[in-house]
Amino acid sequence: MGAITTPRFDITPLPLSGLCLVQRKRMGDARGFLERLFCAEELTRAGWDGPIAQINHTYTAAAGTLRGMHFQRPPHAEKKLVMCLKGRVFDVAVDTRKGSPTFLKWHGEILAPEAANALLIPEGFAHGFQTLTDDVEMLYCHSAVYAPDHEGGLHPQDPAINIQWPDELVTLSDRDQGHPFLGDSFEGVAL
């Protein structure tokens, strides 16, 4: 897939197949601006092929906090459209798709409100982020409802993945710290 331009978005494919950077186009004047956060019709061209099942809003207080790396297994595998509404984050997706040529490769982008950007993350990817500022707010559109029995996670500091987080780690939840490092037995997510 090459770059896609729609009336409200510029969509750029990233090095991991199916992962896209979505640049929102702002329409504005002296009063301010309007930007579309989601449009099913336009995002279908980038791989979003169903309804939004959930929209989640997160708040993270301190810079250096790391959240992730989370994914859901079938039949609850999900696509995510992830954007930063306040502050700045280094947002990361890891390809966990079984048999993918980019299996266990990662890609990161800085997301920020002034950049008006988002990541469109396909099914079979783990996702997480590190806050680069205090007081970060994120918005997630999910294609499937959260199913705790189908959730998986990667340790965000696993040397087998070797994510290059930009800042020193300040906070990591017990849950995220508890994900074991990958061994040779991890074959990936079969979609």
Side-chain angles (χ1 to χ4, degrees):
M1 169 177 73
I4 299 168
T5 298
T6 71
R8 297 295 185 159
F9 305 110
D10 287 326
I11 303 165
T12 305
L14 295 170
L16 307 180
S17 178
L19 183 65
C20 295
L21 182 66
V22 177
Q23 185 69 46
R24 298 182 299 274
K25 296 178 182 178
R26 290 182 172 165
M27 297 173 43
D29 57 27
R31 299 168 297 163
F33 67 85
L34 174 130
E35 67 182 11
R36 186 157 297 155
L37 298 179
F38 183 89
C39 177
E41 179 180 347
E42 293 183 24
L43 291 174
T44 297
R45 297 180 58 195
W48 192 282
D49 57 2
I52 294 176
Q54 288 182 336
I55 299 174
N56 292 309
H57 176 225
T58 65
Y59 170 78
T60 306
T65 300
L66 204 152
R67 291 182 181 254
M69 301 295 298
H70 309 138
F71 62 90
Q72 288 199 152
R73 294 179 182 89
H76 299 282
E78 63 181 349
K79 293 175 182 68
K80 294 179 186 175
L81 182 66
V82 181
M83 61 200 79
C84 183
L85 301 178
K86 182 180 179 191
R88 290 169 46 95
V89 301
F90 184 66
D91 203 76
V92 174
V94 176
D95 188 350
T96 65
R97 298 172 295 184
K98 183 177 182 176
S100 170
T102 56
F103 180 62
L104 297 184
K105 301 289 187 216
W106 65 273
H107 182 83
E109 292 282 339
I110 293 176
L111 302 182
E114 63 274 10
N117 59 0
L119 274 186
L120 180 60
I121 304 169
E123 295 169 335
F125 277 68
H127 170 258
F129 64 88
Q130 183 179 38
T131 55
L132 302 177
T133 63
D134 292 338
D135 298 320
V136 168
E137 294 187 44
M138 300 284 288
L139 184 76
Y140 295 69
C141 298
H142 300 262
S143 66
V145 297
Y146 174 66
D149 293 343
H150 291 84
E151 182 180 38
L154 306 176
H155 194 291
Q157 295 176 306
D158 192 327
I161 304 166
N162 195 28
I163 298 169
Q164 301 298 302
W165 299 105
D167 290 339
E168 181 181 342
L169 175 62
V170 173
T171 304
L172 181 64
S173 73
D174 291 341
R175 175 179 153 223
D176 292 342
Q177 182 69 37
H179 294 302
F181 287 167
L182 294 175
D184 293 337
S185 63
F186 183 72
E187 295 181 0
V189 176
L191 295 176

